[in-house]
Amino acid sequence: QEPEVAVVEWPGGGHEANRKLRLLCLHGEAQSKMVFERQLEACLSADLELRTWLDLHYLEAPIVLRDTEAGPDAQTLCVLYGGEPRGWHRYELRGGPREEWPGLDSSLAFVAEHLEAAGPGFFDGVLGFGQGAEVAAQLARMAEEDRVALREHFRFVLCFSGVWPKDRQLRPKAPLSAVPLWGAFEVEGKYPVPDYQGLAVHWAPAAREVIAHAQGFRAPILEGPSLARLVAFVAQFRPPGASTAPLSPTSAPPPLAAGEEPAASGAVELGACALPVPRPSAEEGLLRGCRVLAVCFHDVLPEGGGGSPLAFDGFAAKVAKAKEFRRRLSIDAPELERLVNLSDLGAMQGGEVSERAAEVATRAAKQLLQSSYNGFEVVVIGIGFGAYVGLRFVQELENLSKAPDAPPSPVWRLFAVRPPPIFPLLPAGALGSCAVACLVEEGPSAGEPWRLEVAAAGPFRIEVVVPGDDGWENAIINCLRPVFADSAARLV
């Protein structure tokens, strides 16, 4: 007598228990599906058991790239393996804070129609690399929000080296959870690490798993705990009753310590961070009076500009000339070397704030708390590392305000100029309700400031300014001037 066969509880029911998981595979920029097939087979065949679970279907992007867009290496691979270089979108202002992806919308519609044409339950997941991963991530957003019928067409996404678009209109309304994410990115590759992490934080913590690797911009050949994590993630989507070989004790994923940061290779712990954060959209005016103190923190890297309190001389001169600020806005720019020993910072690379540098910043912030800010609204301005010192200063004032019978935090606004994109994770909402403006310059981006965004519970915005002191100075002046003018009018 033949044994009974379990069936999949999935819209396309009736499949046998041991049927393979069908993945729709989306190649990267300037690839063909044939080129990607060769690369992906090497990645997934690292575990032969895993490979036997999968039925891979490849789809080619609708955009054929010009020779100037593809490059000689991509063209050579297409000659070797077949096809022509294609993409899911093009680029405008590539690598900068205003980067745009023309063609993305039509590609999303193209892939969604392909999924729907296959029928409910035919595909189990979508796998993408590079631009293909970016399409997969946006399909997950669509399935959660404005095209929920897509949930019947895939249950999970695997994203290799994908980032989230800069267009804030493509942000989800809440962290994603309906379609779980497993992601992998390289620690040195096409985009900065914060950009890769910025894709993952659009998922709720319980609905995501991410690993980092040191194999460059490619679908990596995983091993050890990283491979075990991928196998365990995929295994949970196998049909009920499917045979699954247990993970060996040597390859089982090790537990992560609380707050653990990514190493050169391995699991990436993003804590409870998730975007978007619920926040008020409007910035408050001056509520407690007209006396305002701007506490300004300089950078510690002279080559980046702003390496001493003199960096704020130009800003102070502009404040003195504006009638709205006269006798109402004071400036305090402390010398960080007088607060802490800056030699304790150690080497700072790539704008990354190490645990050691974070301790120095916290000591500097606490030293300033010996001053009294009673009767003042406080505006905090920081440049580079000084932006991180300002962040910790705001956090410390927020913590003090939570003591019994303590007055509310005097901090009204925080302006972070060229803030470091990587620093030790802070609790969500750690900065309280003050409005936060992240001022970044035109040109190559150091990475998405999602850590700062998660820490802010008040209004948050990113403003792109022209390079140089004039850019950030004018942006802050233009932001404050109308608020001071309105406050003065109400006092008449």
Side-chain angles (χ1 to χ4, degrees), residues 110-470:
F110 172 73
V111 180
E113 290 169 4
H114 184 85
L115 288 165
E116 291 169 344
F122 182 84
F123 286 109
D124 296 281
V126 179
L127 180 154
F129 167 68
Q131 286 190 357
E134 293 152 11
V135 170
Q138 292 305 308
L139 288 169
R141 176 188 61 80
M142 292 165 59
E144 184 131 353
E145 296 187 340
D146 48 20
R147 201 163 174 171
V148 294
L150 280 174
R151 295 187 200 178
E152 297 184 349
H153 298 276
F154 66 105
R155 295 181 286 166
F156 63 92
V157 290
L158 302 174
C159 294
F160 295 92
S161 299
V163 301
W164 200 268
K166 306 289 187 185
D167 185 352
R168 299 182 76 80
Q169 294 186 3
L170 294 178
R171 284 285 181 86
K173 299 179 180 66
L176 303 176
S177 60
V179 179
L181 162 76
W182 191 92
F185 64 84
E186 70 274 15
V187 291
E188 291 185 9
K190 183 177 177 181
Y191 280 93
V193 166
D195 285 11
Y196 290 129
Q197 295 172 330
L199 180 140
V201 295
H202 287 87
W203 268 262
R208 71 185 182 219
E209 182 163 17
V210 190
I211 66 107
H213 63 86
Q215 299 180 37
F217 185 61
R218 58 178 290 185
I221 300 175
L222 301 175
E223 59 183 11
S226 293
L227 177 59
R229 291 179 187 278
L230 173 60
V231 172
F233 178 86
V234 174
Q236 65 186 312
F237 297 99
R238 298 197 72 203
S243 60
T244 303
L247 298 176
S248 66
T250 57
S251 64
L256 292 175
E260 181 181 344
E261 283 288 295
S265 182
V268 176
E269 176 56 46
L270 300 174
C273 296
L275 292 175
V277 175
R279 65 178 83 251
S281 57
E283 298 182 1
E284 294 182 348
L286 293 169
L287 299 179
R288 295 193 295 275
C290 61
R291 298 177 64 199
V292 179
L293 176 65
V295 182
C296 304
F297 298 99
H298 62 82
D299 201 354
V300 295
L301 302 175
E303 63 270 20
S308 79
L310 297 177
F312 297 99
D313 284 359
F315 176 71
K318 291 177 181 178
V319 167
K321 291 179 182 178
K323 62 181 181 180
E324 295 90 347
F325 303 134
R326 289 173 187 166
R327 295 185 298 276
R328 301 180 61 198
L329 176 59
S330 303
I331 296 176
D332 178 23
E335 169 64 70
L336 291 180
E337 189 67 66
R338 295 184 178 180
L339 300 175
V340 291
N341 185 354
L342 294 182
S343 64
D344 291 342
L345 285 173
M348 295 181 61
Q349 298 179 348
E352 179 175 353
V353 177
S354 65
E355 292 283 356
R356 179 177 175 181
E359 293 175 1
V360 174
T362 302
R363 292 203 304 269
K366 289 183 176 181
Q367 279 287 96
L368 273 183
L369 292 181
Q370 298 178 19
S371 303
S372 174
Y373 299 99
N374 292 336
F376 283 101
E377 296 271 12
V378 176
V379 171
V380 178
I381 303 172
I383 303 174
F385 178 72
Y388 180 73
V389 178
L391 181 154
R392 296 309 299 262
F393 179 68
V394 173
Q395 184 186 16
E396 292 297 328
L397 284 171
E398 179 66 19
N399 290 340
L400 289 175
S401 73
K402 295 176 181 177
D405 302 322
S409 170
V411 179
W412 172 47
R413 296 193 181 183
L414 167 63
F415 293 95
V417 182
R418 302 191 298 272
I422 301 178
F423 52 80
L425 294 175
L426 296 180
L431 302 182
S433 60
C434 80
V436 177
C438 179
L439 306 182
V440 297
E441 295 179 344
E442 296 276 13
S445 171
E448 279 292 289
W450 63 265
R451 281 174 165 80
L452 180 58
E453 184 172 358
V454 168
F460 178 89
R461 63 187 175 87
I462 298 175
E463 183 175 347
V464 182
V465 301
V466 297
D469 291 344
D470 265 353

Side-chain angles (χ1 to χ4, degrees), residues 53-65:
W53 298 350
L54 306 177
D55 181 12
L56 306 180
H57 296 245
Y58 293 85
L59 182 64
E60 263 188 334
I63 301 174
V64 178
L65 300 183

